[in-house]
Amino acid sequence: MKQQTKSLSALLLALVLALSLALPVSAAENKALDEAARATVNSALTYGQATQASWAVWQDGKIISSGAQRAKEGGGSEPLEGGESGVYGIGSVSKIFTTVAVMQLAEAGKLDLDQPVVKYLPAFKMADPRYKDITVRMLLNHSSGLMGSTISSAMLFDDPTPTATAKLLERLSTQRLKADPGAYSVYCNDGFTLAELVVEAVTDVNFQDYLHENILDKAGLEETYFPDEDFDNRVDIYREGDKRPLPKECLGIVGAGGMYATAEDLAAFGGALTRQGLLKKSSLNAMAAPEYAKGLWPDEDSPDALSYGLGWDSVEWYPFTINGVPALVKGGDTQFYHAGLVVLPEHKLAAAVLSTGGVSTYNEMAASQMLISVLREKSEFVELRQKLPAAKRADMPKELLDSAGYYGSSTVLHVALSEDGTLTMSYPALPDFPAQKFFYHDDGSFRDERGASALRLVKEDNGQTYLYQWTFSDLSGLGYLPGSNYAAMKLPENKVDPAVQAKWDAIMGGAVLPMSERYSSQVYMALGALLQTSEPGEAVQTAPGYVGALRIEDETHLRHVVQVPGTGGRDGVDVELRRDKNGAMWLYQTDGGVYMDMNAAPTLSTGTEGKAACTIQPDGYARWYKIGDNADGKTLTVRMPEDAGFWVYDAKGNITASSVLWGDESAKLARKGLIVFAGDPGARFELTFE
C-alpha cells in the first residue's frame, strides 16, 4: 500500500503533462526491452507462483513497453490473449497517492509535516498521552509508534463500505502506542489511513474526490480507480483450486491500500514523480530523503529491501543506488493482488509490474530488471554486486553467551550459543524445520558454512539486544535480493506461573471464531484453512512467559513488546481474555478484532416443522453454529435481509456454500461443520430445512 506525485500551476501545463504521461510507443521499437520484460515476468510468475502478471515501462513521457503473461499448467508462462493488461488492485502502492496528496497540501500551506496530527484532526485521541507528539511526517515515514493495522472489516468482497476507515478514530481511542513517536520506522497501515483523514479534514473534500481532481486528472490517469467505482476490465481473482472467479476485492482503507490501476497507469504515475507537475522538486526530494535513518536502524553499510522515505518503501533500492543511480520503490500486497513500482527520477524512468498471486517483492525485482535493460541499452549501467567482506573463523568473546535466548518478531526464534563460537538458530513453532548453524568470525559476525549469510548480536541504545541478519539471495532472472536488517529482538525474561503459561498455550493453540467481522469480510474465507489445521487444546510451542511474541501479563492479558524496525515489529496487538455469562471464552484485540472459542458455538436448531430464524443482536456480532446430527444431510434455504450474508463449512473447514462468494441461497449441511450468519444489528435470517 504505497506512492506519490507533484503540481506546477498553469492549466496548460497540467494538460500537457496529462497528455504526455499516457502516450504509447509501438512495441516494435522496443523489441529487446519487450523480450527482457517477458523473461523477467516469467521468473516473477515462477518464483511467486502467480497466475497472471502485467507490466509497463514509462520513459520520459511515453509507455515504451507493456504486456501481460499468464502462467501455464506445468510451468512457464505465455502471452495473454489480446495483450490487454487489465486492472489490478495495487494494494499499498496506494500509499504513494496518499503521500502526494499530503505533500500537495503542505506546498499549499494548508498543513505542516512537522506539526502534530491533532492540530488538523482534533478528534484523534488515544489511551496514551504520547499520541499528541505524532506529527504528519511520522504518518508518512512509519515512525508514529502506532500499533500498526487496525483493519477489522477492512478486507471485503464486493462491498466498498469504508467501515474500517470510518471506525479508525474510535478504535484508536482505546489503544496505546508501542513506541515513542519518532523512535523508529516500522511498517504501519494505520498511519496512512490517518493521513487520508487528515486530507479530508484540511480540505473538507472527500478523499477520493481530492485524488481525482488533484492527482488522477492532472496526471492523465484514466484507468486508476477506487473500489466503489465501476470498471469492466478488472483481472479476475480465484481461490486456490477453484475455477470460479471471486467477487471484486474491496479494501475499506483506500489511502493505505485500496486503489486499482492498470500497469500502464501505475508506471505513468511513477513517471509523473520524476519531474515537476504534481509536486515541486523540493517535495519530490523530501519524499526521497532517507527518513528511516532518523530512528533506530542497523548501523551497517549494506543494502536492504527497505529504506523508508515518505511513502516509499525504499529510497535506496538495490542494485541501482550502489551503482550511483537514485531509485525509489513501493510494493503492495492484498490477499489476491500484488504490485511493484520502481522509479528512477534522474533517468525519467518508471516500471510497474502487477499480478494476481505471487509476491510484490518479485514484482519489484522484475520491474528493476526491465529498467536495467533500458539503461544497459544506453550503456549507462554496470551492476556492482554485493558480497560479504572477507573474515576468518575466530574465538568468540565469552560475554556474547549472555545474548542467547528467545528472539521475537512476527515469529519467535531461539538462539543458542556455545563456547566454541557456534550459533544455532531454531524455530519453536516449527519443530520439524531444521536448525541453522552459524560460526563466529573475527569481524564479529556469525556466518553459515557457505558464507552466504551472516548474523550479529547487537546491543542497541534503547537497551534491547537485536539479531541482525545479512543475506544476499540470487533469484534467477530477477537479480539479487539483499537483506540487511534487524530480524528480531531478544525477548526480556518474563517469569509466570507454569499453570498460567499452560492455560494460555492451550487457548492460543485452539480454534477461535471471528465475531466482529462484516459479513463480506475475507476473513471468513481465510478461516477455512485455519479450521483445517487447528486442533482445539493443542498447545503451541513458544518462549517461556510468552504466547508467540506476546508477553503474558496475567491470566487475562497479553501485551505486544517487540520493538523491531522495518517489518519485523509491525502490526502489534494487545489481547484481553474475557468470559461471558455462560463461561465461554472471548478474546478482544486492540486492533478491533473480537474472537470466541469455537467450542462455545451452539448447535444449529432446525426449529419447528423445519423452520427457524437467526437474528443479529444489538452488539452486531456474527452468529456461529455447529452443525449437529439433526441437521446432517439436510438442505438449508436462507431468506436473507439486505447487507448480510452466510458462510457454510464442512468438518474439515472447506467452504461448501457462501452467499457472498457465489450468491448461494441454500446449502447442503454436513455433521461437524459450521455455519455463520453476519449482518447489521437486527438483521433477521429466515431458515428452512428440507
Side-chain angles (χ1 to χ4, degrees), residues 62 118 175 215 231 309 345 401 446 479 505 589 591 597:
K62 301 175 182 178
V118 292
Q175 288 187 24
I215 298 177
F231 44 96
L401 291 172
F446 294 85
D505 288 348
Q589 295 185 172
D591 64 356
D597 180 4

Side-chain angles (χ1 to χ4, degrees), residues 96-279:
I96 300 298
F97 288 86
T98 303
T99 304
V100 170
V102 172
M103 300 302 286
Q104 287 178 339
L105 296 174
E107 287 182 0
K110 294 183 177 181
L111 61 79
D112 184 325
L113 294 182
D114 296 309
Q115 287 295 310
V117 173
V118 292
K119 178 176 179 178
Y120 310 106
L121 204 59
F124 171 45
K125 292 179 172 59
M126 297 184 71
D128 186 323
R130 295 175 293 175
Y131 81 93
K132 297 178 182 178
D133 298 327
I134 299 173
T135 66
V136 177
R137 180 185 300 276
M138 293 173 188
L139 302 181
L140 305 182
N141 68 17
H142 300 282
S143 71
S144 64
L146 294 167
M147 280 291 191
S149 297
T150 305
I151 57 173
S152 178
S153 294
M155 304 175 73
L156 309 176
F157 284 117
D158 202 22
D159 181 5
T161 180
T163 297
T165 297
K167 290 188 174 182
L168 179 63
L169 293 182
E170 175 189 343
R171 290 169 174 171
L172 288 179
S173 69
T174 60
Q175 288 187 24
R176 66 178 178 89
L177 295 177
K178 64 183 177 187
D180 290 337
Y184 59 90
S185 292
V186 57
Y187 203 80
C188 179
N189 284 311
D190 285 350
F192 286 83
T193 305
L194 271 180
E196 174 183 341
L197 295 177
V198 167
V199 170
E200 292 188 333
V202 168
T203 62
D204 198 27
V205 173
N206 176 273
F207 182 70
Q208 294 180 198
D209 292 341
Y210 180 89
L211 261 59
H212 267 295
E213 181 178 351
N214 296 280
I215 298 177
L216 307 189
D217 292 348
K218 285 187 177 181
L221 305 178
E222 297 182 352
E223 291 192 283
T224 299
Y225 304 99
F226 299 94
D228 62 351
E229 296 175 336
D230 293 328
F231 44 96
D232 298 328
N233 53 341
R234 175 178 62 88
V235 176
D236 286 335
I237 53 177
Y238 300 87
R239 293 172 71 219
E240 186 175 356
D242 194 329
K243 294 185 178 181
R244 293 172 292 180
L246 292 170
K248 181 197 292 186
E249 185 180 44
C250 297
L251 269 63
I253 45 172
V254 171
M259 297 177 69
Y260 275 82
T262 60
E264 291 85 351
D265 251 28
L266 193 56
F269 175 59
L273 301 180
T274 68
R275 57 190 184 182
Q276 298 190 92
L278 290 174
L279 291 174

Side-chain angles (χ1 to χ4, degrees), residues 377-392:
E377 283 292 314
K378 299 161 63 177
S379 301
E380 294 183 9
F381 190 84
V382 178
E383 183 175 349
L384 301 175
R385 295 178 181 172
Q386 289 286 106
K387 64 178 181 180
L388 279 172
K392 297 179 180 179

Side-chain angles (χ1 to χ4, degrees), residues 6 40 58 67 140 196 227 254 285 292 314 338 367 391 429 453 455 469:
K6 162 180 184 177
T40 194
W58 179 98
L140 305 182
E196 174 183 341
V254 171
N285 290 343
Y292 72 93
S314 177
H338 307 272
S453 59
L455 305 174
Q469 65 175 0

Side-chain angles (χ1 to χ4, degrees), residues 298 300-302 454-458 466-470 483-488:
E300 298 282 344
D301 188 22
S302 299
L455 305 174
R456 291 186 196 274
L457 300 170
V458 182
Y466 290 87
L467 180 68
Y468 166 80
Q469 65 175 0
W470 187 101
S484 175
N485 53 65
Y486 284 145

Side-chain angles (χ1 to χ4, degrees), residues 18-25 61-64:
L19 290 171
S20 66
L21 288 176
L23 188 62
V25 168
K62 301 175 182 178
I63 297 295
I64 62 172

